[in-house]
Amino acid sequence: MPALVNSAEGANLVDLWLLYALAGIGFAWIFGLAGRFAFCHTTLMAVGAYTAAYAATHDVPFWGAVLAGTACAALVAALVGLALARAQHFAFAIGTLAVSQIGVVVFSRSGTFTGVNGQVHGVPFPTVFGYTLDTDRDIFWLLLAFVTLALLLGVFIRRSPLGREAVAARDAELVARTAGVPVRRIHLTLFVLGSATGGLAGALLAHWQGFVGIDSFGLDLGIGIFLMVILGGTHSLWGPILGAGFYVWAPKLLSGLDEYRAAVYGGLLLLMIMLCPEGLTGLAARARAALARARDRSRTKEGEHA
C-alpha cells in the first residue's frame, strides 16, 4: 500500500473503503442506472461470502472460491429477479426486503453451509501467484484491482446499448416500453450484474477477514450502501467510491467528539442530502462550472481593458 496511511487502523479503513466501494458500484447499477431499489443487496453479498467460505474451507483455491461466490450470488439474483420480473418499483423493493429476511433465517439456521449460528471461521487468506495476502497492506492491491475492473465494466455498460436503454427505461419507462425497449430484460440484467458484484465483494470480505458472520451483512450495511450511492451521486461512476470514502472516513474524523459523534454525523448526512442532493460528484461538477464561469468573466474583463 502506498503511503496513504501511517497506522494499522488506517490501512484497515482504506481496505474497507475499497470493499464498500466495490459493493456500492454494484448497487449503483441496480439503483442508479436501472432505477430499482433492492433491499437484498447485502443478502446477496452474504451469499457470495458464505459460498466462498464454504469452498475455501473445502480446499478450493482462492480464485475458484471467489468465482463460486460470485456465480452463486448471480444465480440467486437471477431467480429473485425472474420471480419479481412483473413487480413495479415499490413492489420490487418489498419483494427484495422479504428475500433479505428469508436470508437472515436461512443463514442463521443452516449449520452445514453457514456454520453454527451463521458463523464460519478459518477462511484462508487470499493467495495470488503463490503469495499469501495476510496483511491489510498486501490485500489493498487486490481490492484496488477489483475496484478498477468494476469501474471499467461500469464504463462499458454505460456506453453500451444496455446502458442507454436502461437510462431511457429509468427516466421514462412507459415511453421506453412503447418504443420497444425490453425493460424487464434490462432490469434483470442489471440486477444480476450488480448482485454478482456484491457477491464478489462478500467473497473478498470473507477471505480478507478470515471469518463470516451474519451480523456483517445486516440492515445497517444495507442502509450504508444506499447512503454511499446517494452521497456520492447516483449518475456518476465515481459516486460510489466517493460515497464509500465519506461513509468510512467521516466517523473516524469525528471520533474526537465522543458522545456527540453520532449526532454530528447524522446532521452532516442531513446537510449533504439537503444542500447537495446530486451527491459529491454533483458538487464537484458545480464547483468546476463556477470556476469556468469565473475564468470566462476574467477573460472578458481582460479583453475589455485591452
Side-chain angles (χ1 to χ4, degrees):
M1 179 184 294
L4 296 173
V5 293
N6 55 9
S7 67
E9 182 186 9
N12 184 272
L13 288 176
V14 169
D15 290 345
L16 191 63
W17 174 14
L18 291 175
L19 192 78
Y20 283 170
L22 182 61
I25 289 171
F27 186 74
W29 296 341
I30 301 170
F31 178 69
L33 194 55
R36 308 275 272 180
F37 189 92
F39 276 104
C40 63
H41 196 65
T42 52
T43 302
L44 293 169
M45 288 178 64
V47 170
Y50 281 115
T51 303
Y54 182 85
T57 53
H58 286 76
D59 301 324
V60 176
F62 166 69
W63 292 111
V66 169
L67 180 60
T70 304
C72 192
L75 177 60
V76 174
L79 294 175
V80 172
L82 288 171
L84 300 175
R86 296 180 179 275
Q88 296 301 314
H89 299 292
F90 180 74
F92 180 83
I94 296 301
T96 56
L97 177 61
V99 170
S100 69
Q101 296 303 306
I102 293 171
V104 171
V105 175
V106 172
F107 295 144
S108 60
R109 302 296 174 86
S110 180
T112 303
F113 182 68
T114 60
V116 179
N117 296 323
Q119 297 183 352
V120 179
H121 299 268
V123 183
F125 292 114
T127 301
V128 180
F129 302 121
Y131 183 73
T132 301
L133 309 178
D134 55 358
T135 68
D136 289 336
R137 294 180 182 274
D138 288 336
I139 205 170
F140 165 83
W141 298 106
L142 179 66
L143 295 176
L144 181 63
F146 276 111
V147 170
T148 302
L149 290 174
L151 282 174
L152 292 175
L153 180 58
V155 171
F156 174 77
I157 290 174
R158 286 180 179 269
R159 294 183 178 181
S160 69
L162 172 64
R164 293 190 291 271
E165 290 177 345
V167 171
R170 180 197 67 202
D171 295 342
E173 182 174 335
L174 182 60
V175 176
R177 289 183 184 275
T178 304
V181 175
V183 174
R184 288 178 184 169
R185 178 176 60 81
I186 290 170
H187 286 166
L188 178 62
T189 300
L190 290 174
F191 179 60
V192 171
L193 286 175
S195 299
T197 305
L200 172 62
L204 293 173
L205 177 64
H207 282 278
W208 172 35
Q209 300 289 348
F211 165 82
V212 182
I214 189 62
D215 293 338
S216 301
F217 305 99
L219 182 60
D220 288 345
L221 179 58
I223 295 174
I225 292 175
F226 173 68
L227 285 175
M228 293 172 207
V229 175
I230 292 295
L231 290 173
T234 57
H235 301 322
S236 171
L237 290 170
W238 296 100
I241 296 177
L242 295 178
F246 183 92
Y247 183 81
V248 170
W249 288 99
K252 173 63 178 176
L253 297 175
L254 297 173
S255 60
L257 298 177
D258 296 329
E259 67 268 22
Y260 300 105
R261 180 176 60 180
V264 174
Y265 182 57
L268 189 58
L269 288 175
L270 182 60
L271 284 175
M272 280 291 302
I273 293 173
M274 290 174 58
L275 301 178
C276 189
E278 66 272 31
L280 293 171
T281 53
L283 183 63
R286 279 196 284 172
R288 288 195 301 269
L291 289 174
R293 289 193 297 269
R295 285 196 299 267
D296 291 341
R297 286 195 296 267
S298 177
R299 290 171 184 170
T300 301
K301 290 180 180 179
E302 290 177 358
E304 291 175 352
H305 291 299

